[in-house]
Amino acid sequence: MPDQTSPLATAQDSRYFTRWTQADPARPALVAAAAARAMDHGFFVRSLQADLDAGLALNAAMRRLRNLVVCTLIERDLSGRADLAEVVATMTAFADFAVQTHLEALMREQTALYGEPIGEESGRLQQMIVLGMGKLGGGELNVSSDIDLIFVYPEDGDTRVEDGQKQLSNHEFFVRLGKKLIGALAEITGDGFTFRVDMALRPNGNSGPLVASFNMVEEYLVRQGREWERYAWTKARALTGDPQDIAVLEAISRPFIFRRYLDYGSIDALRSMHAQIRAEVKRQEALHPDRSNNVKLGRGGIREIEFASQVFQLIRGGRDPELRDRSTRATLRTLAAKNLLAPQVVEQLLAAYTFLRNLEHRLQYLEDAQTHTLPVNADDLLLVARMMGCPDTAGLLQELEAHRRIVAAQFDAIFNDKQAAPDSESDAPGINDADGLEAIADALKLVGFPEADIEDGAKRLHLTWQSPRMQSLPEQSRNRLNTVINAALPLISALHYDQLPTLGRLLDFLEAIARRAAYLALLTEYPYALTRLVRMIGASGWAATYLTQHPILLDELLDDRNLKAGSDWTAFAENCQRQLDTAPGDTERQMDILRELHHTELFRLLAQDLEGDLSVEKLADELSALADILVAATIKAVWQTITQRHREAPQFAVIAYGKLGGKELGYVSDLDVVFLYDDDDQEAPALYAKLAQRFITWMTSHTPAGTLFDVDIALRPDGASGLLVSPLSSFEKYQLNSAWIWEHQALTRARFCAGDAAIGERFEALRERVLRQPRDYEKLEEEVLSMRRRMREAHPNRSSQFDLKHDEGGMIDIEFIVQYLVLRHAPEHPQLTGDIGNIALLKLAAQLGLIDTDLAAEAANAYRLFRKLQHQIRLQGAERAHIDAERVEHERACVIRLWETVFG
């Protein structure tokens, strides 16, 4: 669909178009015929062959085709039949065709003279890979652009010769081939040229060899590759070569271009590159005023849009393959889809990009010149304005300025230097690693650090700065570290609580991440992330530890919208599966994907928890829902790794017990699970045992992204001596005939978690049947009390404080009361078998008249308070939930009274 521009000029207003079409009476008809529809590869082949059949040499025929293509695009564009997408796609396709056609012909000529180049290691025929860089690589080539190329070949070796052929090394063979290709494309003849060729982006630039082997490329990128070359290589696209060799080359270049971590150091690198470009543009404008108003390199120009999109690729492309597209327009749309840039901002940038690129083309249409600056001549400027659909020059300049302002503002929002010297009103104290204790203490006093903590705080800060790890950092990292610490000190002082512990947690965190320059860069580039970090680690020692273990989560601090967003578990499950599908067969990567997704969601919930937006109950529900999805995704992924699997979907289910079963999961809770299957295939027992074993491995293994969950399978039939996976029929017999009372207690909190839904339904029916069995009430009470005694003996409390979980009157007493009431009364009251949680079950038991209503309400409130206090204590990093007994004296007494009422 054409862009929203209605030109007021025609192709005849292009002096180049007029010259070329009038040079031969047949040409206007050729252009008219070609302009009837969009040009494609088939058109190029037919047109070229027609000239070759007429007796033209390949070089001449290709040049004439090039002129026809450009003139046809001018005609289609200025008549409103072609939009920007068609123009750049057609020029890119023609450049690909020209390179491929010339290389094929030249390769035939050269092998006839020198034989075939053969790899000395593989013995395979070697082909030259021509990499298209820049706009050619990105599929967005200009009509009058040169093409940036790099020549690469896989292996060194020699040519395999026959009689009369001269043997060359592979390197010399491809150097000669590359020179001939450049000449075929770029030499100016009576028909002009096909494309100017720029080879400056090759390893070592114009001082380096014209062609490079894979080994040379790899060594160069690893040892000498610079930040600007990462930017350039994001566009690299192979135009020729063997697909197998191309895949090897991409495997070599990808780690150089895209870091495995989130690389926020790219912002500073691109900022510096942009500053150098702008300085050169300003210098040229000063020397040549006629070159001012550059729509590509000037302020708010095309290059700033490209930088704004590519910085996200360099930061995140290593972890997100969807951000590796070579097209600027496609990348911008991906940024909007992933909410990395606001959709309305992306729409503005796309509109500006379209306008600027269309304007750039019209500047080039005048004379087929590679120019990016507005003409000084008033008549030419008016002509360009009319080509853009503007009736006068003023209208063009006004619209241009509007787009430039938008682009410049967005560029500044991303690239403004947050590490610049602070102004005089800044609260940052300005200390660094060279300062002594006295200077650090004065700085802490200046920012309002508590008087009593200044001495210890200064010692801790001085100790960090003087540690061998910090002293061995590169200068840039030390400077960033100093910037972060200086920015953080006023934030810590402003907390008005736990300033010294918070300082210690922050310094522990910074020590852990200091060698990862990208994380320091993130905290300096995004001050708000540092503010949020200080608040989180000030509120929770556990959060500080979690972030230290998983610093990649710093990225989540950049956008409040993500942290404050409500859960959409359906969308999360779909995203989880989509990401797993990007790495089929790559077990390590899939395990990391699951961990990264878990960490991100858990961190979002943690942020909301620390802000007070989630109750303990709501948090547990959310964490349990998250675990359910990850368990289901893991089962599905693991099943695909079992090569002997006999069916597409396993007839296998995971049953959740304990905290997961009761939907009371905490941040670091284990998963208590039992594995069931219902499959008559003779290989089923072994296959499902392997599935369960691998599931546990996937869950518990420590990878670079950490662990997912610890898994406890002790509740399976016959415990440690039982089978890892049970047939559903055997599980049913065991529960009905052999299970201990404590196993039925555990069943009160069990539920289907993931896997085959039919097995889940049969389990839920079995569970209700078991819980509703008539029982010997005396034996039931005796067994429950005996189990409670054993548990208390296993967790003795040797402190003077109250153990919220294990002590008499604590949480486990409440849970045992509820479990006993379910097993005792479910035969007459089936609604008690519902997995609705302890608080709801207490309320239900009271409604049924099984316990006193007021006492039930008091016990429910106590359970709610105990969970909240336990949660708060765990957030501070404590392993045991101990508290002064006086704080919960009333609640504990209520629980003991209910216990005595139920058990006598």
Side-chain angles (χ1 to χ4, degrees):
M1 181 179 178
D3 302 312
Q4 300 302 308
T5 301
S6 300
L8 301 176
T10 67
Q12 282 71 28
D13 290 308
S14 161
R15 290 189 286 272
Y16 159 72
F17 179 94
T18 301
R19 280 197 306 273
W20 191 78
T21 54
Q22 291 181 356
D24 185 332
R27 287 178 181 175
L30 285 175
V31 172
R37 63 188 61 83
M39 293 172 283
D40 58 14
H41 184 270
F43 172 83
F44 304 146
V45 172
R46 291 191 301 273
S47 300
L48 182 69
Q49 193 60 50
D51 277 344
L52 293 175
D53 291 344
L56 285 180
L58 177 59
N59 286 9
M62 192 67 77
R63 281 157 174 72
R64 292 197 181 191
L65 176 56
R66 184 264 179 190
N67 288 324
L68 175 61
V69 168
V70 173
C71 286
T72 302
L73 284 176
I74 294 174
E75 171 62 36
R76 283 184 58 79
D77 188 358
L78 294 184
S79 64
R81 286 178 282 174
D83 60 6
L84 175 65
E86 180 185 321
V87 173
V88 297
T90 302
M91 284 307 302
T92 301
F94 175 65
D96 289 0
F97 172 75
V99 169
Q100 292 159 2
T101 304
H102 278 300
L103 184 64
E104 183 180 351
L106 293 168
M107 186 71 174
R108 283 196 302 269
E109 292 177 12
Q110 194 151 298
T111 53
L113 293 172
Y114 307 116
E116 295 178 330
I118 302 298
E120 61 184 358
E121 293 183 12
S122 67
R124 292 174 58 230
L125 174 66
Q126 303 291 287
Q127 297 184 37
M128 187 164 79
I129 297 175
V130 178
L131 292 177
M133 309 294 283
K135 287 186 171 63
L136 172 58
E140 296 171 330
L141 195 62
N142 282 330
V143 287
S144 300
S145 178
D146 59 6
I147 54 175
D148 296 290
L149 302 179
I150 295 177
F151 299 151
V152 182
Y153 64 95
E155 295 177 57
D156 285 318
D158 298 298
T159 57
R160 183 170 53 202
V161 296
E162 297 176 353
D163 291 344
Q165 292 178 325
K166 178 182 178 182
Q167 188 174 53
L168 297 177
S169 70
N170 287 354
H171 182 78
E172 178 60 24
F173 180 93
F174 288 118
V175 166
R176 294 189 182 195
L177 182 62
K179 288 179 178 178
K180 289 181 180 178
L181 178 60
I182 294 170
L185 292 167
E187 283 180 2
I188 298 175
T189 70
D191 295 299
F193 58 87
T194 302
F195 284 102
R196 292 174 291 264
V197 176
D198 190 335
M199 299 294 298
L201 293 178
R202 68 186 187 267
N204 288 306
N206 290 328
S207 63
L210 185 66
V211 297
S213 68
F214 282 5
N215 284 340
M216 291 170 65
V217 171
E218 183 169 25
E219 183 173 356
Y220 176 82
L221 294 181
V222 170
R223 295 179 180 273
Q224 300 179 56
R226 290 157 289 184
E227 282 293 328
W228 69 262
E229 288 175 295
R230 288 181 60 206
Y231 169 85
W233 276 75
T234 61
K235 301 285 191 183
R237 178 173 62 89
L239 313 184
T240 66
D242 180 87
Q244 181 180 338
D245 294 334
I246 293 170
V248 172
L249 179 60
E250 288 179 346
I252 290 170
S253 63
R254 189 179 302 119
F256 168 69
I257 306 167
F258 301 113
R259 307 297 196 234
R260 290 194 63 174
Y261 51 86
L262 293 169
D263 186 10
Y264 284 93
S266 303
I267 297 176
D268 195 38
L270 285 182
R271 181 193 295 127
S272 299
M273 192 196 316
H274 179 264
Q276 293 171 8
I277 293 171
R278 289 289 299 128
E280 177 61 19
V281 170
K282 287 181 178 179
R283 189 179 73 83
Q284 291 294 333
E285 289 175 348
L287 292 173
H288 308 282
D290 57 313
R291 296 183 188 174
S292 59
N293 240 328
N294 191 311
V295 300
K296 177 181 178 181
L297 302 178
R299 191 74 172 104
I302 295 166
R303 183 55 52 84
E304 290 193 356
I305 301 175
E306 293 170 342
F307 274 33
S309 71
Q310 282 188 277
V311 71
F312 287 96
Q313 292 184 295
L314 294 177
I315 290 171
R316 299 170 179 273
R319 304 187 70 82
D320 190 344
E322 292 178 7
L323 282 170
R324 297 176 191 167
D325 198 288
R326 299 176 180 92
S327 162
T328 297
R329 292 165 298 155
T331 298
L332 285 171
R333 294 186 184 102
T334 302
L335 294 176
K338 293 179 175 292
N339 217 19
L340 295 171
L341 278 178
Q344 63 271 26
V345 169
V346 168
E347 286 303 314
Q348 291 176 325
L349 291 177
L350 284 170
Y353 186 79
T354 299
F355 177 88
L356 292 168
R357 289 297 305 275
N358 279 332
L359 176 56
E360 183 181 42
H361 285 157
R362 282 145 179 77
L363 297 174
Q364 296 172 357
Y365 288 165
L366 289 177
E367 295 284 1
D368 187 27
Q370 190 185 9
T371 181
H372 312 284
T373 59
L374 297 186
V376 177
N377 180 284
D379 291 339
D380 283 354
L381 185 58
L382 177 59
L383 190 56
V384 169
R386 292 177 64 78
M387 287 182 180
M388 288 295 291
C390 298
D392 53 40
T393 299
L396 171 67
L397 295 178
Q398 184 177 357
E399 191 171 354
L400 172 61
E401 182 57 27
H403 285 298
R404 280 174 160 174
R405 276 199 304 269
I406 290 169
V407 173
Q410 186 56 40
F411 181 88
D412 288 345
I414 297 172
F415 287 98
N416 267 352
D417 191 353
K418 288 85 173 178
Q419 300 176 67
D423 58 45
S424 57
E425 297 182 10
S426 171
D427 292 331
I431 50 177
N432 59 55
D433 54 318
D435 288 319
L437 280 171
E438 186 176 347
I440 297 173
D442 289 343
L444 291 177
K445 185 175 183 179
L446 179 68
V447 298
F449 212 72
E451 191 72 34
D453 293 334
I454 286 178
E455 183 179 351
D456 288 341
K459 288 179 180 178
R460 178 69 173 82
L461 189 47
H462 187 261
L463 190 64
T464 295
W465 261 328
Q466 299 307 313
S467 68
R469 174 181 289 186
M470 296 304 188
Q471 287 296 306
S472 64
L473 290 176
E475 182 179 0
Q476 184 182 41
S477 293
R478 283 207 312 278
N479 290 338
R480 282 177 172 160
L481 180 67
N482 293 342
T483 299
V484 170
I485 290 174
N486 277 281
L489 289 177
L491 301 174
I492 295 172
S493 297
L495 290 176
H496 303 303
Y497 61 86
D498 288 347
Q499 289 97 331
L500 186 60
T502 301
L503 175 62
R505 293 167 189 164
L506 177 68
L507 295 177
D508 287 341
F509 174 75
L510 292 176
E511 285 188 53
I513 69 166
R515 292 193 177 277
R516 301 293 291 273
Y519 295 136
L520 293 175
L522 183 155
L523 292 172
T524 52
E525 294 289 349
Y526 296 94
Y528 180 74
L530 179 61
T531 302
R532 194 74 188 246
L533 171 66
V534 169
R535 277 167 47 198
M536 290 191 75
I537 66 176
S540 169
W542 184 83
T545 301
Y546 190 71
L547 268 168
T548 302
Q549 293 170 342
H550 310 293
I552 194 170
L553 292 170
L554 282 175
D555 182 58
E556 300 302 315
L557 296 174
L558 300 183
D559 192 343
D560 251 6
R561 292 172 300 176
N562 292 337
L563 285 181
K564 293 181 177 179
S567 300
D568 184 343
W569 294 122
T570 301
F572 173 76
E574 292 170 353
N575 180 47
C576 183
Q577 191 57 54
R578 187 165 58 250
Q579 293 209 35
L580 288 171
D581 289 343
T582 65
D586 188 343
T587 295
E588 182 179 348
R589 180 63 196 134
Q590 288 189 324
M591 290 170 70
D592 279 346
I593 286 170
L594 291 166
R595 283 151 177 76
E596 290 159 8
L597 290 169
H598 179 229
H599 297 327
T600 299
E601 289 302 305
L602 188 147
F603 189 68
R604 176 180 62 82
L605 296 171
L606 173 62
Q608 295 177 12
D609 180 16
L610 295 177
E611 292 292 325
D613 296 336
L614 297 175
S615 67
V616 175
E617 292 79 12
K618 175 65 173 173
L619 174 65
D621 285 344
E622 298 277 54
L623 290 172
S624 301
L626 172 60
D628 285 355
I629 293 169
L630 293 172
V631 168
T634 303
I635 290 295
K636 184 175 179 180
V638 171
W639 184 244
Q640 296 303 310
T641 70
I642 298 177
T643 53
Q644 305 93 342
R645 62 185 184 278
H646 60 298
R647 59 177 74 250
E648 189 57 34
Q651 291 180 346
F652 175 93
V654 179
I655 307 302
Y657 279 74
K659 294 290 186 186
L660 179 60
K663 296 185 179 180
E664 294 183 350
L665 210 63
Y667 290 123
V668 293
S669 298
D670 296 350
L671 302 187
D672 293 293
V673 295
V674 167
F675 304 117
L676 303 178
Y677 71 92
D678 185 25
D679 191 334
D680 294 332
D681 190 281
Q682 63 179 5
E683 300 298 328
L687 289 173
Y688 292 132
K690 183 177 290 186
L691 173 58
Q693 289 165 346
R694 289 190 184 177
F695 169 82
I696 293 171
T697 299
W698 277 49
M699 284 276 159
T700 60
S701 294
H702 190 89
T703 77
T707 57
L708 198 52
F709 293 101
D710 284 329
V711 175
D712 191 331
I713 53 173
L715 291 173
R716 68 189 188 275
D718 294 316
S721 62
L723 295 172
L724 178 60
V725 183
S726 300
L728 182 58
S729 56
S730 300
F731 181 80
E732 182 175 359
K733 291 175 185 175
Y734 179 84
Q735 290 291 339
L736 291 171
N737 304 314
S738 308
W740 296 85
I741 291 294
W742 68 264
E743 291 178 288
H744 287 177
Q745 286 181 251
L747 202 61
T748 64
R749 289 159 62 85
R751 63 181 177 85
F752 168 67
C753 172
D756 187 275
I759 298 177
E761 289 177 7
R762 290 181 59 187
F763 166 78
E764 295 294 350
L766 171 63
R767 174 181 173 276
E768 181 174 351
R769 182 182 171 192
V770 170
L771 295 182
R772 293 188 63 193
Q773 284 185 121
R775 300 178 187 277
D776 181 328
Y777 299 145
E778 290 185 6
K779 183 181 179 184
L780 172 64
E781 181 175 327
E782 178 184 331
E783 288 287 339
V784 170
L785 291 174
S786 173
M787 175 55 69
R788 183 66 189 101
R789 280 194 299 272
R790 289 200 297 273
M791 286 188 66
R792 196 168 290 151
E793 290 166 0
H795 297 88
N797 181 6
R798 297 183 175 87
S799 74
S800 60
Q801 293 186 308
F802 175 60
D803 186 326
L804 288 165
K805 183 175 181 180
H806 294 287
D807 276 358
E808 182 183 9
M811 293 168 67
I812 289 182
D813 276 2
I814 298 172
E815 291 167 1
F816 266 65
I817 290 169
V818 171
Q819 291 162 14
Y820 172 77
L821 290 172
V822 171
L823 295 177
R824 170 70 174 76
H825 297 288
E828 305 88 44
H829 303 289
Q831 58 267 55
L832 285 169
T833 62
D835 186 20
I836 57 177
N838 290 304
I839 292 173
L841 284 169
L842 283 169
K843 181 179 179 181
L844 178 58
Q847 291 172 348
L848 294 171
L850 306 178
I851 53 177
D852 179 77
T853 301
D854 292 339
L855 202 51
E858 292 275 20
N861 289 336
Y863 192 69
R864 186 179 288 112
L865 176 63
F866 291 168
R867 286 186 64 192
K868 182 177 181 180
L869 292 172
Q870 180 192 50
H871 181 65
Q872 291 172 349
I873 292 168
R874 294 272 168 81
L875 279 177
Q876 295 311 315
E879 292 186 11
R880 297 184 180 277
H882 289 179
I883 197 170
D884 290 337
E886 294 80 7
R887 286 188 60 185
V888 290
E889 186 175 356
H890 171 74
E891 289 78 12
R892 184 184 185 190
C894 291
V895 175
I896 291 173
R897 277 208 314 279
L898 180 59
W899 180 277
E900 292 171 346
T901 300
V902 172
F903 292 109

